[in-house]
Amino acid sequence: AQSVTQLDSHVSVSEGTPVLLRCNYSSSYSPSLFWYVQHPNKGLQLLLKYTSAATLVKGINGFEAEFKKSETSFHLTKPSAHMSDAAEYFCVVTQRETGFQKLVFGTGTRLLVSP
Amino acid sequence: DAGVTQSPTHLIKTRGQQVTLRCSPKSGHDTVSWYQQALGQGPQFIFQYYEEEERQRGNFPDRFSGHQFPNYSSELNVNALLLGDSALYLCASSLLGEQYFGPGTRLTVT
């Protein structure tokens, strides 16, 4: 079975400060991991993905994540938050046994950015 | 490129009724997946269609069924609606890889 746990339901930061959204995963086999962002009334957008290549993954809008197998973690970071980053973020896992097609989502972390 | 489109945007139904939601995939994509996102939760996988057949299914009852047409568009049907079926229904399309999501259909069951 595969699952992800997002450790914070809400994270509040000030504009210009670093962002850290935490995610731990559980997978029987080598997983592929993703971070998606969901803005209000918009579809889910892929931020970045890990698929067994480099463990430090760079995504869009300055986000990056590091795959740490020993810690079963895949935390999302950004050096400096922008007001437009305020949204819901989902950590997602999938694996080869489902053809990498069945995405399993975490419960989400709401990022709040204050001026 | 229009991306993934879904219709309708919003829908209100009564318990016991049936509903059909529609999805048009991104141009060139042949696989469509459906997800249910309850309020305050992450999306949950319902099923996936490829070559007009259901390829994978999540933990949803048989009241949830689907169809894929030769042009790769897809429908999600839900019978005997329950209050708990109220959610945002997301469609995602793909071609051997990354899934692209549509904006969703908000279903309210009263």
Side-chain angles (χ1 to χ4, degrees):
Chain A
Q2 52 187 336
S3 65
V4 289
T5 301
Q6 293 186 242
L7 301 173
D8 307 291
S9 60
H10 294 81
V11 169
S12 295
V13 300
S14 299
E15 191 174 22
T17 64
V19 175
L20 170 63
L21 305 183
R22 299 182 295 164
C23 173
N24 287 346
Y25 71 90
S26 173
S27 178
S28 303
Y29 301 93
S30 297
S32 288
L33 292 157
F34 309 80
W35 277 97
Y36 279 83
V37 61
Q38 187 174 38
H39 291 273
N41 302 317
K42 291 191 176 181
L44 288 157
Q45 181 183 20
L46 180 66
L47 281 178
L48 50 80
K49 60 183 177 182
Y50 166 77
T51 55
S52 76
T55 56
L56 182 61
V57 181
K58 294 187 184 298
I60 62 172
N61 301 334
F63 284 95
E64 63 181 38
E66 186 172 7
F67 174 73
K68 292 186 176 181
K69 186 175 181 179
S70 60
E71 299 176 9
T72 60
S73 69
F74 190 59
H75 300 335
L76 181 70
T77 61
K78 183 174 181 178
S80 177
H82 192 272
M83 294 295 292
S84 61
D85 294 328
E88 189 86 17
Y89 291 79
F90 293 96
C91 183
V92 180
V93 65
T94 188
Q95 60 189 42
R96 185 180 305 278
E97 284 62 39
T98 62
F100 295 115
Q101 291 294 314
K102 177 185 174 182
L103 302 182
V104 177
F105 285 75
T107 53
T109 298
R110 181 164 298 276
L111 176 64
L112 306 169
V113 183
S114 57
Chain B
D1 184 359
V4 180
T5 59
Q6 294 185 242
S7 63
T9 304
H10 296 85
L11 202 53
I12 299 175
K13 290 287 188 177
T14 303
R15 277 178 298 176
Q17 286 188 317
Q18 178 265 346
V19 68
T20 297
L21 310 182
R22 295 175 176 81
C23 172
S24 291
K26 187 177 170 67
S27 178
H29 286 186
D30 59 4
T31 302
V32 173
S33 302
W34 287 91
Y35 293 81
Q36 181 195 65
Q37 185 177 15
L39 196 63
Q41 300 295 317
Q44 291 195 6
F45 177 78
I46 302 175
F47 43 51
Q48 183 182 81
Y49 277 84
Y50 171 71
E51 292 189 340
E52 302 180 49
E53 290 190 359
E54 183 182 293
R55 181 160 69 172
Q56 291 188 52
R57 189 178 184 92
N59 189 25
F60 279 81
D62 292 344
R63 297 188 297 109
F64 289 77
S65 63
H67 188 76
Q68 186 179 33
F69 298 94
N71 67 353
Y72 307 123
S73 67
S74 177
E75 290 182 348
L76 165 64
N77 301 293
V78 187
N79 295 322
L81 284 167
L82 304 174
L83 293 179
D85 295 332
S86 295
L88 179 67
Y89 288 85
L90 296 165
C91 167
S93 72
S94 59
L95 176 66
L96 299 177
E98 178 184 337
Q99 295 190 28
Y100 290 78
F101 283 83
T105 293
R106 174 75 61 188
L107 172 64
T108 301
V109 182
T110 62

